[in-house]
PDB file of all heavy atoms in Angstrom:
ATOM      1  N   GLY A  76     111.629 100.639  92.800  1.00 97.00           N
ATOM      2  CA  GLY A  76     110.582 101.623  93.056  1.00 97.00           C
ATOM      3  C   GLY A  76     110.426 101.915  94.535  1.00 97.00           C
ATOM      4  O   GLY A  76     110.890 101.168  95.401  1.00 97.00           O
ATOM      5  N   ARG A  78     107.325 103.755  97.209  1.00 98.00           N
ATOM      6  CA  ARG A  78     106.022 104.382  97.405  1.00 98.00           C
ATOM      7  C   ARG A  78     105.942 104.946  98.821  1.00 98.00           C
ATOM      8  O   ARG A  78     106.243 104.257  99.792  1.00 98.00           O
ATOM      9  CB  ARG A  78     104.895 103.373  97.183  1.00 98.00           C
ATOM     10  CG  ARG A  78     103.504 104.008  97.157  1.00 98.00           C
ATOM     11  CD  ARG A  78     102.419 103.035  96.739  1.00 98.00           C
ATOM     12  NE  ARG A  78     101.860 102.307  97.866  1.00 98.00           N
ATOM     13  CZ  ARG A  78     102.086 101.035  98.137  1.00 98.00           C
ATOM     14  NH1 ARG A  78     102.896 100.335  97.382  1.00 98.00           N
ATOM     15  NH2 ARG A  78     101.531 100.441  99.173  1.00 98.00           N
ATOM     16  N   LEU A 102     106.949 103.811 104.157  1.00 97.00           N
ATOM     17  CA  LEU A 102     107.647 103.672 102.890  1.00 97.00           C
ATOM     18  C   LEU A 102     107.552 102.218 102.421  1.00 97.00           C
ATOM     19  O   LEU A 102     107.725 101.292 103.225  1.00 97.00           O
ATOM     20  CB  LEU A 102     109.114 104.063 103.028  1.00 97.00           C
ATOM     21  CG  LEU A 102     109.437 105.565 103.044  1.00 97.00           C
ATOM     22  CD1 LEU A 102     110.910 105.764 103.399  1.00 97.00           C
ATOM     23  CD2 LEU A 102     109.113 106.202 101.699  1.00 97.00           C
ATOM     24  N   PHE A 103     107.284 102.013 101.124  1.00 97.00           N
ATOM     25  CA  PHE A 103     107.156 100.678 100.559  1.00 97.00           C
ATOM     26  C   PHE A 103     108.103 100.536  99.367  1.00 97.00           C
ATOM     27  O   PHE A 103     107.788 100.963  98.253  1.00 97.00           O
ATOM     28  CB  PHE A 103     105.708 100.425 100.127  1.00 97.00           C
ATOM     29  CG  PHE A 103     104.725 100.451 101.257  1.00 97.00           C
ATOM     30  CD1 PHE A 103     104.076 101.634 101.594  1.00 97.00           C
ATOM     31  CD2 PHE A 103     104.465  99.326 102.002  1.00 97.00           C
ATOM     32  CE1 PHE A 103     103.176 101.676 102.643  1.00 97.00           C
ATOM     33  CE2 PHE A 103     103.569  99.354 103.058  1.00 97.00           C
ATOM     34  CZ  PHE A 103     102.926 100.531 103.382  1.00 97.00           C
ATOM     35  N   PRO A 104     109.278  99.945  99.597  1.00 98.00           N
ATOM     36  CA  PRO A 104     110.214  99.740  98.486  1.00 98.00           C
ATOM     37  C   PRO A 104     109.897  98.462  97.702  1.00 98.00           C
ATOM     38  O   PRO A 104     109.337  97.504  98.253  1.00 98.00           O
ATOM     39  CB  PRO A 104     111.569  99.626  99.200  1.00 98.00           C
ATOM     40  CG  PRO A 104     111.222  99.069 100.549  1.00 98.00           C
ATOM     41  CD  PRO A 104     109.851  99.579 100.895  1.00 98.00           C
ATOM     42  N   THR A 105     110.259  98.452  96.428  1.00 97.00           N
ATOM     43  CA  THR A 105     110.168  97.263  95.590  1.00 97.00           C
ATOM     44  C   THR A 105     111.433  97.170  94.737  1.00 97.00           C
ATOM     45  O   THR A 105     112.027  98.189  94.378  1.00 97.00           O
ATOM     46  CB  THR A 105     108.936  97.290  94.661  1.00 97.00           C
ATOM     47  OG1 THR A 105     108.988  98.470  93.844  1.00 97.00           O
ATOM     48  CG2 THR A 105     107.643  97.295  95.454  1.00 97.00           C
ATOM     49  N   ALA A 106     111.837  95.942  94.421  1.00 98.00           N
ATOM     50  CA  ALA A 106     113.010  95.727  93.582  1.00 98.00           C
ATOM     51  C   ALA A 106     112.816  94.448  92.774  1.00 98.00           C
ATOM     52  O   ALA A 106     112.188  93.494  93.249  1.00 98.00           O
ATOM     53  CB  ALA A 106     114.277  95.630  94.431  1.00 98.00           C
ATOM     54  N   TYR A 107     113.360  94.450  91.556  1.00 97.00           N
ATOM     55  CA  TYR A 107     113.207  93.295  90.670  1.00 97.00           C
ATOM     56  C   TYR A 107     114.439  93.176  89.779  1.00 97.00           C
ATOM     57  O   TYR A 107     114.936  94.189  89.257  1.00 97.00           O
ATOM     58  CB  TYR A 107     111.955  93.459  89.806  1.00 97.00           C
ATOM     59  CG  TYR A 107     111.835  92.463  88.676  1.00 97.00           C
ATOM     60  CD1 TYR A 107     111.227  91.232  88.867  1.00 97.00           C
ATOM     61  CD2 TYR A 107     112.350  92.760  87.404  1.00 97.00           C
ATOM     62  CE1 TYR A 107     111.126  90.315  87.832  1.00 97.00           C
ATOM     63  CE2 TYR A 107     112.255  91.848  86.365  1.00 97.00           C
ATOM     64  CZ  TYR A 107     111.645  90.627  86.584  1.00 97.00           C
ATOM     65  OH  TYR A 107     111.553  89.718  85.561  1.00 97.00           O
ATOM     66  N   LEU A 120     114.268  87.640  90.387  1.00 98.00           N
ATOM     67  CA  LEU A 120     114.340  87.794  91.838  1.00 98.00           C
ATOM     68  C   LEU A 120     113.654  89.110  92.195  1.00 98.00           C
ATOM     69  O   LEU A 120     113.972  90.155  91.623  1.00 98.00           O
ATOM     70  CB  LEU A 120     115.793  87.807  92.307  1.00 98.00           C
ATOM     71  CG  LEU A 120     116.035  88.021  93.809  1.00 98.00           C
ATOM     72  CD1 LEU A 120     115.480  86.857  94.622  1.00 98.00           C
ATOM     73  CD2 LEU A 120     117.529  88.209  94.091  1.00 98.00           C
ATOM     74  N   SER A 121     112.703  89.070  93.123  1.00 98.00           N
ATOM     75  CA  SER A 121     111.949  90.276  93.451  1.00 98.00           C
ATOM     76  C   SER A 121     111.789  90.416  94.957  1.00 98.00           C
ATOM     77  O   SER A 121     111.801  89.436  95.707  1.00 98.00           O
ATOM     78  CB  SER A 121     110.568  90.255  92.789  1.00 98.00           C
ATOM     79  OG  SER A 121     109.788  89.190  93.288  1.00 98.00           O
ATOM     80  N   TYR A 122     111.638  91.677  95.382  1.00 98.00           N
ATOM     81  CA  TYR A 122     111.378  91.997  96.786  1.00 98.00           C
ATOM     82  C   TYR A 122     110.333  93.109  96.844  1.00 98.00           C
ATOM     83  O   TYR A 122     110.320  94.023  96.020  1.00 98.00           O
ATOM     84  CB  TYR A 122     112.638  92.485  97.499  1.00 98.00           C
ATOM     85  CG  TYR A 122     112.329  93.219  98.786  1.00 98.00           C
ATOM     86  CD1 TYR A 122     111.983  92.526  99.937  1.00 98.00           C
ATOM     87  CD2 TYR A 122     112.318  94.617  98.827  1.00 98.00           C
ATOM     88  CE1 TYR A 122     111.660  93.201 101.112  1.00 98.00           C
ATOM     89  CE2 TYR A 122     111.999  95.296  99.995  1.00 98.00           C
ATOM     90  CZ  TYR A 122     111.671  94.585 101.127  1.00 98.00           C
ATOM     91  OH  TYR A 122     111.330  95.239 102.278  1.00 98.00           O
ATOM     92  N   GLY A 123     109.444  93.032  97.832  1.00 97.00           N
ATOM     93  CA  GLY A 123     108.458  94.088  98.013  1.00 97.00           C
ATOM     94  C   GLY A 123     107.906  94.099  99.426  1.00 97.00           C
ATOM     95  O   GLY A 123     107.790  93.055 100.073  1.00 97.00           O
ATOM     96  N   LYS A 124     107.600  95.289  99.901  1.00 97.00           N
ATOM     97  CA  LYS A 124     106.937  95.448 101.189  1.00 97.00           C
ATOM     98  C   LYS A 124     105.477  95.808 100.917  1.00 97.00           C
ATOM     99  O   LYS A 124     105.188  96.663 100.074  1.00 97.00           O
ATOM    100  CB  LYS A 124     107.604  96.551 102.014  1.00 97.00           C
ATOM    101  CG  LYS A 124     106.959  96.777 103.381  1.00 97.00           C
ATOM    102  CD  LYS A 124     107.613  97.939 104.109  1.00 97.00           C
ATOM    103  CE  LYS A 124     106.927  98.221 105.436  1.00 97.00           C
ATOM    104  NZ  LYS A 124     107.514  99.393 106.131  1.00 97.00           N
ATOM    105  N   ARG A 125     104.547  95.165 101.635  1.00 96.00           N
ATOM    106  CA  ARG A 125     103.121  95.375 101.386  1.00 96.00           C
ATOM    107  C   ARG A 125     102.387  95.658 102.697  1.00 96.00           C
ATOM    108  O   ARG A 125     102.855  95.321 103.776  1.00 96.00           O
ATOM    109  CB  ARG A 125     102.499  94.147 100.709  1.00 96.00           C
ATOM    110  CG  ARG A 125     103.111  93.806  99.356  1.00 96.00           C
ATOM    111  CD  ARG A 125     102.303  92.729  98.653  1.00 96.00           C
ATOM    112  NE  ARG A 125     102.916  92.334  97.402  1.00 96.00           N
ATOM    113  CZ  ARG A 125     103.641  91.232  97.226  1.00 96.00           C
ATOM    114  NH1 ARG A 125     103.822  90.417  98.251  1.00 96.00           N
ATOM    115  NH2 ARG A 125     104.164  90.927  96.067  1.00 96.00           N
ATOM    116  N   ILE A 126     101.212  96.243 102.532  1.00 95.00           N
ATOM    117  CA  ILE A 126     100.345  96.536 103.672  1.00 95.00           C
ATOM    118  C   ILE A 126      98.974  95.909 103.423  1.00 95.00           C
ATOM    119  O   ILE A 126      98.497  95.863 102.281  1.00 95.00           O
ATOM    120  CB  ILE A 126     100.206  98.070 103.879  1.00 95.00           C
ATOM    121  CG1 ILE A 126      99.352  98.375 105.109  1.00 95.00           C
ATOM    122  CG2 ILE A 126      99.625  98.741 102.653  1.00 95.00           C
ATOM    123  CD1 ILE A 126      99.310  99.857 105.468  1.00 95.00           C
ATOM    124  N   PHE A 157     101.776  94.214 108.072  1.00 96.00           N
ATOM    125  CA  PHE A 157     102.796  94.508 107.065  1.00 96.00           C
ATOM    126  C   PHE A 157     103.567  93.238 106.733  1.00 96.00           C
ATOM    127  O   PHE A 157     103.767  92.376 107.604  1.00 96.00           O
ATOM    128  CB  PHE A 157     103.764  95.576 107.585  1.00 96.00           C
ATOM    129  CG  PHE A 157     103.130  96.911 107.823  1.00 96.00           C
ATOM    130  CD1 PHE A 157     102.626  97.239 109.075  1.00 96.00           C
ATOM    131  CD2 PHE A 157     103.023  97.847 106.810  1.00 96.00           C
ATOM    132  CE1 PHE A 157     102.034  98.471 109.306  1.00 96.00           C
ATOM    133  CE2 PHE A 157     102.442  99.083 107.030  1.00 96.00           C
ATOM    134  CZ  PHE A 157     101.941  99.395 108.278  1.00 96.00           C
ATOM    135  N   SER A 158     104.016  93.141 105.491  1.00 97.00           N
ATOM    136  CA  SER A 158     104.775  91.963 105.085  1.00 97.00           C
ATOM    137  C   SER A 158     105.949  92.360 104.202  1.00 97.00           C
ATOM    138  O   SER A 158     105.862  93.294 103.394  1.00 97.00           O
ATOM    139  CB  SER A 158     103.876  90.970 104.337  1.00 97.00           C
ATOM    140  OG  SER A 158     103.388  91.534 103.139  1.00 97.00           O
ATOM    141  N   HIS A 159     107.065  91.646 104.379  1.00 97.00           N
ATOM    142  CA  HIS A 159     108.228  91.728 103.493  1.00 97.00           C
ATOM    143  C   HIS A 159     108.259  90.425 102.696  1.00 97.00           C
ATOM    144  O   HIS A 159     108.265  89.335 103.289  1.00 97.00           O
ATOM    145  CB  HIS A 159     109.513  91.888 104.307  1.00 97.00           C
ATOM    146  CG  HIS A 159     109.574  93.161 105.087  1.00 97.00           C
ATOM    147  ND1 HIS A 159     110.098  94.327 104.573  1.00 97.00           N
ATOM    148  CD2 HIS A 159     109.158  93.464 106.340  1.00 97.00           C
ATOM    149  CE1 HIS A 159     110.015  95.289 105.466  1.00 97.00           C
ATOM    150  NE2 HIS A 159     109.443  94.797 106.558  1.00 97.00           N
ATOM    151  N   ASN A 160     108.282  90.533 101.367  1.00 98.00           N
ATOM    152  CA  ASN A 160     108.146  89.363 100.513  1.00 98.00           C
ATOM    153  C   ASN A 160     109.308  89.266  99.522  1.00 98.00           C
ATOM    154  O   ASN A 160     109.634  90.238  98.841  1.00 98.00           O
ATOM    155  CB  ASN A 160     106.834  89.426  99.729  1.00 98.00           C
ATOM    156  CG  ASN A 160     105.629  89.624 100.632  1.00 98.00           C
ATOM    157  OD1 ASN A 160     105.148  88.690 101.249  1.00 98.00           O
ATOM    158  ND2 ASN A 160     105.156  90.852 100.719  1.00 98.00           N
ATOM    159  N   ILE A 161     109.920  88.087  99.462  1.00 98.00           N
ATOM    160  CA  ILE A 161     111.004  87.815  98.514  1.00 98.00           C
ATOM    161  C   ILE A 161     110.607  86.594  97.677  1.00 98.00           C
ATOM    162  O   ILE A 161     110.132  85.592  98.225  1.00 98.00           O
ATOM    163  CB  ILE A 161     112.331  87.547  99.248  1.00 98.00           C
ATOM    164  CG1 ILE A 161     112.718  88.754 100.102  1.00 98.00           C
ATOM    165  CG2 ILE A 161     113.446  87.231  98.250  1.00 98.00           C
ATOM    166  CD1 ILE A 161     113.936  88.497 100.970  1.00 98.00           C
ATOM    167  N   GLU A 162     110.802  86.682  96.348  1.00 98.00           N
ATOM    168  CA  GLU A 162     110.475  85.573  95.456  1.00 98.00           C
ATOM    169  C   GLU A 162     111.599  85.335  94.456  1.00 98.00           C
ATOM    170  O   GLU A 162     112.100  86.286  93.842  1.00 98.00           O
ATOM    171  CB  GLU A 162     109.174  85.840  94.697  1.00 98.00           C
ATOM    172  CG  GLU A 162     107.922  85.637  95.514  1.00 98.00           C
ATOM    173  CD  GLU A 162     106.663  85.648  94.648  1.00 98.00           C
ATOM    174  OE1 GLU A 162     106.766  86.003  93.455  1.00 98.00           O
ATOM    175  OE2 GLU A 162     105.594  85.300  95.164  1.00 98.00           O
ATOM    176  N   TYR A 177     109.450  83.708 100.245  1.00 98.00           N
ATOM    177  CA  TYR A 177     109.576  83.872 101.700  1.00 98.00           C
ATOM    178  C   TYR A 177     108.860  85.162 102.099  1.00 98.00           C
ATOM    179  O   TYR A 177     109.014  86.201 101.453  1.00 98.00           O
ATOM    180  CB  TYR A 177     111.038  83.953 102.114  1.00 98.00           C
ATOM    181  CG  TYR A 177     111.227  84.381 103.555  1.00 98.00           C
ATOM    182  CD1 TYR A 177     110.977  83.499 104.601  1.00 98.00           C
ATOM    183  CD2 TYR A 177     111.646  85.675 103.865  1.00 98.00           C
ATOM    184  CE1 TYR A 177     111.147  83.897 105.923  1.00 98.00           C
ATOM    185  CE2 TYR A 177     111.815  86.083 105.181  1.00 98.00           C
ATOM    186  CZ  TYR A 177     111.564  85.185 106.208  1.00 98.00           C
ATOM    187  OH  TYR A 177     111.713  85.585 107.508  1.00 98.00           O
ATOM    188  N   SER A 178     108.060  85.094 103.179  1.00 97.00           N
ATOM    189  CA  SER A 178     107.339  86.268 103.678  1.00 97.00           C
ATOM    190  C   SER A 178     107.534  86.392 105.180  1.00 97.00           C
ATOM    191  O   SER A 178     107.482  85.389 105.906  1.00 97.00           O
ATOM    192  CB  SER A 178     105.835  86.165 103.376  1.00 97.00           C
ATOM    193  OG  SER A 178     105.591  86.158 101.990  1.00 97.00           O
ATOM    194  N   ASP A 179     107.760  87.615 105.619  1.00 97.00           N
ATOM    195  CA  ASP A 179     107.845  87.929 107.040  1.00 97.00           C
ATOM    196  C   ASP A 179     106.734  88.933 107.337  1.00 97.00           C
ATOM    197  O   ASP A 179     106.778  90.069 106.877  1.00 97.00           O
ATOM    198  CB  ASP A 179     109.216  88.516 107.364  1.00 97.00           C
ATOM    199  CG  ASP A 179     109.431  88.690 108.861  1.00 97.00           C
ATOM    200  OD1 ASP A 179     108.478  88.450 109.625  1.00 97.00           O
ATOM    201  OD2 ASP A 179     110.540  89.071 109.264  1.00 97.00           O
ATOM    202  N   ILE A 180     105.715  88.496 108.090  1.00 96.00           N
ATOM    203  CA  ILE A 180     104.509  89.294 108.307  1.00 96.00           C
ATOM    204  C   ILE A 180     104.411  89.670 109.779  1.00 96.00           C
ATOM    205  O   ILE A 180     104.583  88.819 110.657  1.00 96.00           O
ATOM    206  CB  ILE A 180     103.245  88.522 107.878  1.00 96.00           C
ATOM    207  CG1 ILE A 180     103.419  87.957 106.463  1.00 96.00           C
ATOM    208  CG2 ILE A 180     102.014  89.413 107.934  1.00 96.00           C
ATOM    209  CD1 ILE A 180     102.319  87.014 106.036  1.00 96.00           C
TER     210      ILE A 180
END
Side-chain angles (χ1 to χ4, degrees):
R78 189 172 89 253
L102 281 171
F103 297 92
T105 57
Y107 169 88
L120 178 65
S121 64
Y122 162 77
K124 180 184 177 183
R125 299 189 184 101
I126 183 173
F157 295 92
S158 63
H159 296 271
N160 306 281
I161 301 174
E162 283 191 350
Y177 169 75
S178 296
D179 188 355
I180 310 171

